[in-house]
Amino acid sequence: EAGVVQSPRYKIIEKKQPVAFWCNPISGHNTLYWYLQNLGQGPELLIRYENEEAVDDSQLPKDRFSAERLKGVDSTLKIQPAELGDSAVYLCASSFGTGGTEAFFGQGTRLTVV
Amino acid sequence: TQLLEQSPQFLSIQEGENLTVYCNSSSVFSSLQWYRQEPGEGPVLLVTVVTGGEVKKLKRLTFQFGDARKDSSLHITAAQPGDTGLYLCAGDPASGNEKLTFGTGTRLTIIP
């Protein structure tokens, strides 16, 4: 069974440019998470989807970040415009259900804004 | 605001030694998970504990959930270089908002 797939693995962009990340969760997983992880720290939740509905986006900086999961399967996370402080690893995870069920993570996208 | 504080933040020990990593919070959790993350990879789940006082063993790793479900510990016996990584605890708050919240992490290095 394929795991959570993210692309690209690495992205280097200049500040003020847009960038998008893509995530394909494990088949059948209705919950999808986007996390931001700074070096050596724990992941911080940006947004959580249950199917196509964003049920928790309280930590998403909505002035520049947006996300969608139109068909309740794969998802994209966009930043426009990117700032230097956005440099981090963006992790996608999925789970079958919520509330303590195991979350499976992708390898992440390492973003560097220069 | 991090609900889960992990200690120590960094730990470097010799192969064969024992160690304990702690995960503490003032909040109550319905369940708590431990993950290990290696460089360039996403976190991988090691264990989930759901009952206060629960102890789970995974080979040389022993996980304990506090009686009040506010804290947890991970004990590794006879550490090996393959145990090196970032250890993360993650909790599902009992408040019902169902947000899997991660701790601050413990970076463990086992010296051969």
Side-chain angles (χ1 to χ4, degrees), chain A residues 42-95:
Chain A
E44 299 174 35
L45 182 69
L46 291 173
I47 189 168
R48 175 170 65 94
Y49 283 92
E50 288 185 17
N51 299 306
E52 66 276 6
E53 181 182 0
V55 296
D56 185 352
D57 63 355
S58 57
Q59 301 302 312
L60 189 71
K62 298 181 183 62
D63 57 334
R64 298 184 300 107
F65 286 66
S66 64
E68 60 183 16
R69 194 186 184 197
L70 294 176
K71 297 183 179 179
V73 181
D74 58 344
S75 176
T76 57
L77 176 69
K78 298 178 181 178
I79 308 175
Q80 183 171 9
E83 297 179 352
L84 295 176
D86 296 332
S87 295
V89 175
Y90 291 82
L91 292 164
C92 178
S94 70
S95 66

Side-chain angles (χ1 to χ4, degrees), chain A residues 6 8-9 18-19 28 33 37-38 56 67 72 78 85 87 91 98-99 103:
Chain A
Q6 290 187 246
R9 286 292 310 277
V19 65
Y33 311 81
Q37 186 176 29
N38 289 304
D56 185 352
K78 298 178 181 178
S87 295
L91 292 164
T98 59

Side-chain angles (χ1 to χ4, degrees), chain A residues 31 33 35 48 95-104, chain B residues 29-35 45 47-50 56 90-94 97-101:
Chain A
T31 302
Y33 311 81
Y35 285 89
R48 175 170 65 94
S95 66
F96 183 74
T98 59
T101 56
E102 179 178 2
F104 292 83
Chain B
F29 292 91
S30 299
S31 64
L32 197 140
Q33 301 173 352
W34 283 93
Y35 291 79
L45 181 70
V47 76
T48 300
V49 286
V50 297
K56 280 190 174 179
D92 170 35
N97 66 7
E98 298 185 346
K99 178 189 297 186
L100 188 63
T101 302

Side-chain angles (χ1 to χ4, degrees), chain B residues 11 13-14 24 32 34 37 42 47 52 55-56 62 75 80 82:
Chain B
L11 183 59
I13 63 171
Q14 293 290 137
N24 295 296
L32 197 140
W34 283 93
Q37 184 177 22
V47 76
V55 177
K56 280 190 174 179
T62 301
H75 182 79
Q80 299 178 1

